[in-house]
Amino acid sequence: MYIPLLGVLFIYRNEIMDWSQTNASYTNLTILTTVFAIFPVLPFKLIIALLGYAFGPVMGGIVSWLGTMISSLITYGVFRWLLRDTGDSYLKQIPGVKGLTIMMQQQTFSAVLLARMIPIIPQMAVNVYAGTAALPFWSCMIASGLGRLPSIALYAYAGKNATEHPLATLTIFIIYLLLLILAFVSYRIRLKQIQEVDS
């Protein structure tokens, strides 16, 4: 599915860039980014990089962060008050959710923070689980906002500077990778501790 869409983006890249530059505003771009976050027809990392390329890492990063936060807010509300049963069914189909569930029930803030930082954890699953399980709203939102900052900053910067400043981009990527490894190790250690206490 992604390959044809990427082909279309490449073919019409100039038209898309002209349109985006003409209609660029925080409001328009944030609405568009929110839609892509809720309906991921393209990898969201690609959306962040494109925004960084078109509007610079600062504006691209801010718009990406706002879009993901609004999408989290919407998803949380929908699955908390309207589609809780559907959320349960969706989560049962995703491997690894059981371990995440254990952490989120006992340490909501740290669990959501780590989940947002680890790219192998489906972000929509985190959104759906937070609403379905009625996790504390502010803990989820603040942890989500902080946890998303490193990856958004990286991809927004890379979108603009990867070709012009490859060494700096590589350095930032290595720092980000080390941060991911630390987050994943912390997640595994904390999960093991919780499992040992429960057993």
Side-chain angles (χ1 to χ4, degrees):
M1 180 180 178
Y2 289 154
I3 294 176
L5 288 170
L6 289 174
V8 171
L9 284 175
F10 179 77
I11 293 171
Y12 293 102
R13 63 189 183 281
N14 293 327
E15 290 81 357
I16 293 172
M17 287 296 296
D18 291 341
W19 178 89
S20 61
Q21 294 288 352
T22 302
N23 298 277
S25 71
Y26 277 110
T27 302
N28 292 341
L29 292 173
T30 300
I31 292 172
L32 189 62
T33 305
T34 302
V35 172
F36 276 115
I38 296 175
F39 304 104
V41 294
L42 286 172
F44 197 74
K45 295 177 180 63
L46 176 61
I47 301 298
I48 299 171
L50 288 173
L51 288 169
Y53 173 75
F55 305 104
V58 175
M59 182 173 181
I62 291 173
V63 167
S64 299
W65 185 83
L66 286 174
T68 59
M69 291 304 296
I70 295 170
S71 72
S72 294
L73 176 62
I74 293 171
T75 307
Y76 180 94
V78 167
F79 284 95
R80 177 167 183 175
W81 289 293
L82 299 176
L83 298 176
R84 184 167 292 185
D85 292 338
T86 304
D88 284 331
S89 300
Y90 168 77
L91 292 171
K92 290 176 182 177
Q93 301 173 14
I94 300 176
V97 169
K98 183 178 179 181
L100 187 63
T101 298
I102 295 171
M103 279 196 68
M104 284 195 174
Q105 288 175 343
Q106 300 201 17
Q107 302 230 345
T108 300
F109 183 88
S110 59
V112 174
L113 180 67
L114 291 174
R116 294 304 189 190
M117 295 177 67
I118 300 173
I120 62 173
I121 296 177
Q123 294 303 297
M124 183 55 71
V126 180
N127 293 340
V128 173
Y129 181 80
T132 303
L135 296 179
F137 174 79
W138 286 112
S139 293
C140 289
M141 292 300 112
I142 294 173
S144 293
L146 293 174
R148 284 183 170 123
L149 285 174
S151 62
I152 289 176
L154 169 67
Y155 289 108
Y157 180 86
K160 185 66 175 179
N161 298 286
T163 56
E164 297 177 4
H165 306 287
L167 185 59
T169 303
L170 179 61
T171 302
I172 294 173
F173 177 77
I174 292 173
I175 295 172
Y176 173 66
L177 186 61
L178 293 174
L179 189 62
L180 285 183
I181 294 172
L182 179 62
F184 184 72
V185 171
S186 301
Y187 168 78
R188 297 298 300 176
I189 292 173
R190 186 55 189 150
L191 178 59
K192 185 177 180 181
Q193 291 173 341
I194 292 173
Q195 289 174 334
E196 288 175 352
V197 170
D198 290 342
S199 60

